[in-house]
Amino acid sequence: MKNMNSKVLSLIENAVVSAVDRLVKDNFGKSVNDLNLQVNPENGEFQIYDDSENRLGKIVIFDWISKDENEDEFNEQVAATLKGIVTNLSAKGVFNKSCFVKPLSIYLTDDDFVIIEELLFLGDDEVVRVDDPLLKDLSADLGDFLKKLLSDMK
């Protein structure tokens, strides 16, 4: 996959904004907790779905058509690009619409809506997220603690 030029990034950003606008317009009072973004490397389709699997938008990104690239590498590069875009849109307040209920997650998913990677998580003041950095060494720390605790019992 080539590096994304600003025109392509703008096209993707506009597709997400249009999907959010469509969601706000056609929502009928329904709450949305998740957005699912999908990319098909065979035809370059970029699709946006709500948490009920209703398609909100679709465009073709020709730079994402990939015949010879490893799927994991492709998903990694797409996820990095989309993370930057949705983070930028979040900073602009795009996801602060009444149709979104927090916590709101935006995922990169496959065509069966299996999560490949979480791109953005927006919580509220009542939600505390236990994330990988917090849990990273928990097992080792717990093992050390138990070892010290049980050493007194020998």
Side-chain angles (χ1 to χ4, degrees):
M1 180 190 321
K2 305 171 201 162
N3 287 333
M4 298 280 102
N5 65 40
S6 61
K7 232 181 202 182
V8 174
L9 295 174
S10 179
L11 184 66
I12 297 166
E13 188 173 301
N14 289 337
V16 174
V17 170
S18 295
V20 169
D21 290 344
R22 178 176 176 199
L23 187 60
V24 169
K25 187 180 97 178
D26 298 341
N27 197 24
F28 306 113
K30 189 180 97 171
S31 301
V32 176
N33 291 84
D34 301 321
L35 286 179
N36 299 299
L37 309 181
Q38 297 179 355
V39 177
N40 184 334
E42 293 176 11
N43 58 18
E45 285 183 349
F46 171 63
Q47 300 182 81
I48 304 159
Y49 292 88
D50 66 10
D51 52 7
S52 298
E53 299 179 10
N54 299 312
R55 189 169 67 192
L56 304 170
K58 172 183 159 182
I59 60 171
V60 175
I61 307 296
F62 292 102
D63 289 358
W64 280 350
I65 296 175
S66 173
K67 302 290 184 205
D68 57 346
E69 196 164 7
N70 176 313
E71 184 178 350
D72 290 337
E73 290 174 10
F74 176 82
N75 286 335
E76 213 174 276
Q77 292 176 1
V78 166
T81 299
L82 292 176
K83 263 185 193 178
I85 290 170
V86 297
T87 301
N88 185 35
L89 291 174
S90 176
K92 292 179 182 179
V94 170
F95 305 115
N96 293 339
K97 309 286 187 206
S98 61
C99 61
F100 293 118
V101 177
K102 291 184 180 174
L104 171 68
S105 292
I106 301 176
Y107 299 107
L108 175 62
T109 63
D110 66 12
D111 56 354
D112 293 323
F113 294 93
V114 174
I115 297 170
I116 297 169
E117 187 168 337
E118 185 174 55
L119 304 172
L120 182 70
F121 176 83
L122 299 172
D124 58 15
D125 294 337
E126 296 176 11
V127 174
V128 175
R129 181 159 181 188
V130 180
D131 222 356
D132 284 340
L134 181 62
L135 296 176
K136 183 176 147 195
D137 298 321
L138 181 64
S139 182
D141 290 344
L142 186 57
D144 291 344
F145 172 75
L146 286 174
K147 190 175 182 182
K148 288 177 187 176
L149 182 67
L150 295 175
S151 68
D152 293 340
M153 300 189 74
K154 289 183 179 181

